[in-house]
Amino acid sequence: MNIFESYIDKIKSILIDLNKQGELIIPETFNGINAEIPPEQFDCDISTNVAMVLSKLNKKSPIDLAEQISPIIKDKDPLIENITIVKPGFINIKFKPLFWTNFIKEIITNSKNFGVNVKEKKLNYLVEFVSANPTGPLHVGHCRGAILGDVISNVLIFNKHKVTKEYYVNDYGNQIINYTKSVYFRIREVKFKEPFPSDNTDLYPGDYLVDFAKNIISLNSDINFENYDEIVDKLTALSIEQALFLIKENLKSLGIKHDNFVSEKSIVLNNEVEKVIKFLEASKYVYRGKIKAPAGEDSTNWVEREQLLFKSTDFGDDKDRALQKSDGTWTYFASDVAYHKNKVDRNFDHLINILGADHAGYIKRISSSVDALSGTKNKLICKISQLVKLIKDNKPFKMSKRKGDYITVDDLVKEVGKDATRFIMLNRSSDVELDFDFDAVKEKSKDNPLYYVQYCYARISSVFRHLSKDLNSDVKIDNYKFEYSNDEIKILKKVSQWPKCIDAASTKLEPHRIPVYLYELASEFHSYWNLGKQQPEKRFINDQKNISPDKLVFLKAISNVIKSGMNIVGVDTPEKM
């Protein structure tokens, strides 16, 4: 039950009736009319801007129009206690306590669908995220984007959309050549005691390659490691296999599992690049030309040369983009365009790419290519995952560098656990930098949002456990005749905002809204719980060591929302802490 959508529908029905009676002029569509959460200083439950939206069309001030509409809205609904009008024309509605009784009955009866936008058209999404080069373990720079992509997928799935989680394996090009050589030299180091050429800056230095080398040696006794050129193809495949296995283990430790792993090499070897170039040529989006020096670069050192270009400026990019290098090989962009053609051909309604902060400048060109390939504007949605700063003892924190010159996901999860990693990485909007404070995420206090939400659920669980009741079972009440107090209604109002939170997180692809909401709900609950220390009537378990049906339903409603939200975020809800 979305009370905001429900009341907008009621108001629209009233507007249509007034229009039929000649009392009001209404527009062709009701776009812009909404019902929102009112500011805390107003003693009301929902607020609508309908009078302000319709005032100009009706040649009345918003206040005058609000005074005309408000009594009719109140007369049409016996559950409205009163309506007030606030400048510049907001109509603020306060409900009778019975409204909240009916509300809690509805959400308990339909608990599995509470929060789902049933009116929204259900779509088919492809979410590509992580897509790190298969050259070693995932590091903290990948971690935030991995969690962002996973939780965006989860919230879309919760809202009944179809979602495919995909990882694009960049297993083609110079970085793979250098990586394979690095593995080869580690094999020589292990097998023949030859020193690793650490002075070669093209090679990957991480000690994790020693483990890869040992695994490849032990599992491939038939391979002679004397001549690199003779085994390069086989060794490349084996090296990528080792890296992908480790990456999947890293993702598993974060609670992430992709549906698909798509190989860049397979895209290239299947001639999909050539095919997409021909497709773009047929649409007149490719030509041979020269690119001028980028803004800010010394043009005297820039060599203009004729090359194959994509007309990305036709789609709003600041310049056209090269598809071929000077040696005739395809650019990374060309193979990425081919991959996105592969995506487009799979008939998803929307493509979502989660990109690191260093790829922000890449968005316009790849979005332009998808517009050209699909003939649909904004089919591709790109979300940027900004940088994470690790902090311990109030200073930047550097962890073990055994696996290379970076901090690994494995290090992070071992230090603070999966739940803290996921919840805190998601606790701010992805487009701003995040401070990840190791000391704060281990605190058992209000300052640790994960602990505070989990403790809320554990407190509710303790009540059910004390009464030998199963928190995970449905609550069955024959006759809902409860009247909740103002303190309880305050929490129910926060519960009522859950569908609005899900809708915003889903439509705007902003999953950070969920942990923020859960923290606010937990805060309201803890405040109420603490009232019981001085006011016995506020306690959930009464003097007879039992619980009244109204409080049982109340607790169940809160726990359902917390459980749903934590499942979307991908963290546990322990029943004991």
Side-chain angles (χ1 to χ4, degrees):
M1 179 183 181
N2 186 329
I3 67 170
F4 302 93
E5 289 291 329
S6 173
Y7 267 81
I8 279 298
D9 288 344
K10 288 181 180 181
I11 289 168
K12 287 176 182 177
S13 178
I14 289 169
L15 297 178
I16 291 169
D17 286 344
L18 288 172
N19 176 255
K20 288 177 180 177
Q21 297 163 19
E23 299 289 331
L24 194 72
I25 302 171
I26 59 174
E28 291 184 11
T29 68
F30 289 117
N31 293 340
I33 296 176
N34 57 43
E36 295 292 343
I37 303 159
E40 284 190 19
Q41 66 264 33
F42 297 110
D43 182 24
C44 60
D45 299 316
I46 63 172
S47 180
T48 177
N49 65 346
V50 59
M52 290 181 286
V53 174
L54 298 183
S55 64
K56 185 175 180 180
L57 186 63
N58 284 272
K59 297 179 180 178
K60 286 186 176 182
S61 73
I63 294 291
D64 288 342
L65 196 56
E67 288 175 347
Q68 176 188 348
I69 298 171
S70 294
I72 301 168
I73 294 173
K74 188 174 187 302
D75 288 345
K76 292 280 186 179
D77 193 336
L79 293 179
I80 294 178
E81 185 171 285
N82 62 60
I83 293 180
T84 54
I85 299 167
V86 179
K87 291 182 179 179
F90 287 106
I91 297 174
N92 291 345
I93 299 171
K94 183 176 176 62
F95 300 122
K96 294 177 181 177
L98 180 59
F99 172 91
W100 297 107
T101 303
N102 294 345
F103 167 74
I104 204 165
K105 177 183 178 182
E106 175 70 21
I107 65 171
I108 287 291
T109 305
N110 299 292
S111 59
K112 288 185 171 52
N113 286 320
F114 179 53
V116 177
N117 187 341
V118 294
K119 293 182 178 180
E120 182 184 50
K121 181 183 178 182
K122 302 310 172 186
L123 303 173
N124 187 8
Y125 289 86
L126 176 66
V127 185
E128 183 216 330
F129 59 105
V130 188
S131 298
N133 292 339
T135 55
L138 297 179
H139 56 73
V140 170
H142 302 122
C143 186
R144 192 180 186 191
I147 294 165
L148 175 64
D150 194 50
V151 181
I152 281 176
S153 301
N154 291 348
V155 73
L156 290 170
I157 291 167
F158 179 84
N159 223 1
K160 306 301 182 184
H161 297 288
K162 184 178 179 182
V163 177
T164 300
K165 303 178 184 181
E166 188 156 288
Y167 188 119
Y168 183 46
V169 183
N170 301 126
D171 54 357
Y172 186 82
N174 288 332
Q175 86 277 5
I176 294 298
I177 294 171
N178 292 334
Y179 165 64
T180 304
K181 286 179 180 177
S182 304
V183 174
Y184 178 72
F185 285 122
R186 287 298 187 187
I187 289 171
R188 300 287 299 184
E189 180 184 40
V190 171
K191 196 170 178 65
F192 305 113
K193 310 304 180 188
E194 294 179 0
F196 183 82
S198 54
D199 57 339
N200 187 337
T201 57
D202 288 335
L203 300 180
Y204 289 79
D207 287 351
Y208 65 88
L209 292 175
V210 175
D211 296 331
F212 288 3
K214 289 177 179 178
N215 291 339
I216 290 171
I217 291 168
S218 65
L219 295 172
N220 298 276
S221 57
D222 58 319
I223 298 179
N224 185 333
F225 295 102
E226 292 286 353
N227 191 314
Y228 175 79
D229 292 334
E230 289 180 0
I231 63 168
V232 61
D233 291 340
K234 176 71 171 174
L235 184 59
T236 298
L238 292 171
S239 300
I240 290 169
E241 184 181 273
Q242 287 292 316
L244 278 179
F245 178 80
L246 180 57
I247 286 169
K248 288 177 182 179
E249 287 298 302
N250 293 158
L251 291 169
K252 184 179 177 182
S253 72
L254 286 172
I256 296 171
K257 185 177 185 297
H258 286 79
D259 300 303
N260 296 336
F261 283 78
V262 176
S263 161
E264 179 187 0
K265 186 175 182 179
S266 68
I267 295 281
V268 174
L269 295 183
N270 288 339
N271 297 318
E272 292 188 45
V273 180
E274 287 83 358
K275 291 173 185 174
V276 79
I277 298 299
K278 288 180 181 177
F279 179 90
L280 292 171
E281 283 176 336
S283 303
K284 309 296 185 188
Y285 292 136
V286 172
Y287 70 102
R288 299 203 72 85
K290 296 179 180 180
I291 298 178
K292 294 188 180 297
E297 186 163 330
D298 186 359
S299 59
T300 58
N301 296 324
W302 180 262
V303 179
E304 288 188 20
R305 56 183 178 78
E306 190 172 278
Q307 56 192 145
L308 196 64
L309 303 174
F310 165 62
K311 291 183 179 179
S312 53
T313 50
D314 284 6
F315 301 90
D317 199 1
D318 59 349
K319 66 178 180 179
D320 293 337
R321 303 293 176 173
L323 295 165
Q324 266 183 322
K325 300 176 187 176
S326 57
D327 61 2
T329 59
W330 299 117
T331 60
Y332 174 79
F333 175 62
S335 59
D336 211 18
V337 172
Y339 169 48
H340 281 79
K341 179 67 165 67
N342 180 290
K343 289 182 179 182
V344 167
D345 289 345
R346 284 184 272 158
N347 296 317
F348 294 97
D349 295 304
H350 284 293
L351 311 175
I352 299 173
N353 286 2
I354 309 299
L355 303 173
D358 57 338
H359 281 72
Y362 194 69
I363 292 175
K364 196 60 198 176
R365 74 189 73 173
I366 199 61
S367 297
S368 296
S369 73
V370 172
D371 287 351
L373 294 169
S374 65
T376 304
K377 193 169 179 58
N378 299 326
K379 189 178 184 73
L380 174 66
I381 304 165
C382 294
K383 299 290 288 185
I384 289 292
S385 172
Q386 278 293 349
L387 300 173
V388 177
K389 296 178 183 176
L390 299 180
I391 298 171
K392 194 170 188 179
D393 299 326
N394 296 317
K395 57 180 182 267
F397 182 53
K398 301 294 183 185
M399 299 169 77
S400 166
K401 295 186 179 181
R402 175 191 170 272
K403 301 174 182 71
D405 190 21
Y406 49 75
I407 300 165
T408 68
V409 164
D410 190 47
D411 288 329
L412 185 61
V413 172
K414 284 180 180 176
E415 180 79 13
V416 301
K418 170 185 73 73
D419 285 357
T421 302
R422 288 184 69 106
F423 200 93
I424 304 303
M425 285 285 183
L426 203 71
N427 208 39
R428 290 194 71 190
S429 174
S430 63
D431 58 6
V432 296
E433 289 189 3
L434 174 75
D435 288 345
F436 192 103
D437 190 321
F438 283 86
D439 301 316
V441 302
K442 293 178 180 179
E443 284 185 10
K444 294 183 177 180
S445 73
K446 187 176 182 179
D447 293 331
N448 179 354
L450 171 64
Y451 171 81
Y452 211 52
V453 176
Q454 287 181 326
Y455 188 41
C456 173
Y457 192 83
R459 273 182 155 174
I460 294 172
S461 299
S462 71
V463 174
F464 278 71
R465 189 168 57 253
H466 184 82
L467 299 168
S468 299
K469 293 181 181 293
D470 184 3
L471 179 58
N472 296 310
S473 297
D474 292 335
V475 172
K476 295 180 180 178
I477 305 292
D478 293 330
N479 197 357
Y480 286 77
K481 289 186 177 179
F482 319 133
E483 184 164 320
Y484 288 102
S485 68
N486 288 335
D487 292 316
E488 291 160 343
I489 288 173
K490 186 179 179 184
I491 297 176
L492 291 177
K493 284 168 69 172
K494 176 56 71 173
V495 170
S496 76
Q497 294 166 20
W498 174 237
K500 208 166 186 64
C501 170
I502 285 292
D503 197 42
S506 178
T507 57
K508 297 180 180 180
L509 304 180
E510 295 179 350
H512 70 279
R513 292 171 179 268
I514 295 171
V516 170
Y517 167 87
L518 292 174
Y519 180 78
E520 291 172 352
L521 176 60
S523 295
E524 297 281 7
F525 176 80
H526 288 305
S527 296
Y528 181 82
W529 179 282
N530 292 332
L531 290 175
K533 294 175 182 178
Q534 286 79 37
Q535 303 176 52
E537 71 276 9
K538 301 290 185 186
R539 294 172 188 166
F540 291 103
I541 297 174
N542 57 31
D543 293 339
Q544 289 74 45
K545 305 300 180 184
N546 209 337
I547 188 169
S548 60
D550 61 326
K551 283 186 166 55
L552 184 72
V553 171
F554 180 70
L555 287 175
K556 182 61 177 170
I558 298 165
S559 70
N560 284 350
V561 171
I562 291 176
K563 186 79 170 178
S564 292
M566 296 293 257
N567 283 345
I568 293 168
V569 175
V571 302
D572 295 332
T573 45
E575 296 188 3
K576 292 182 180 180
M577 291 184 71

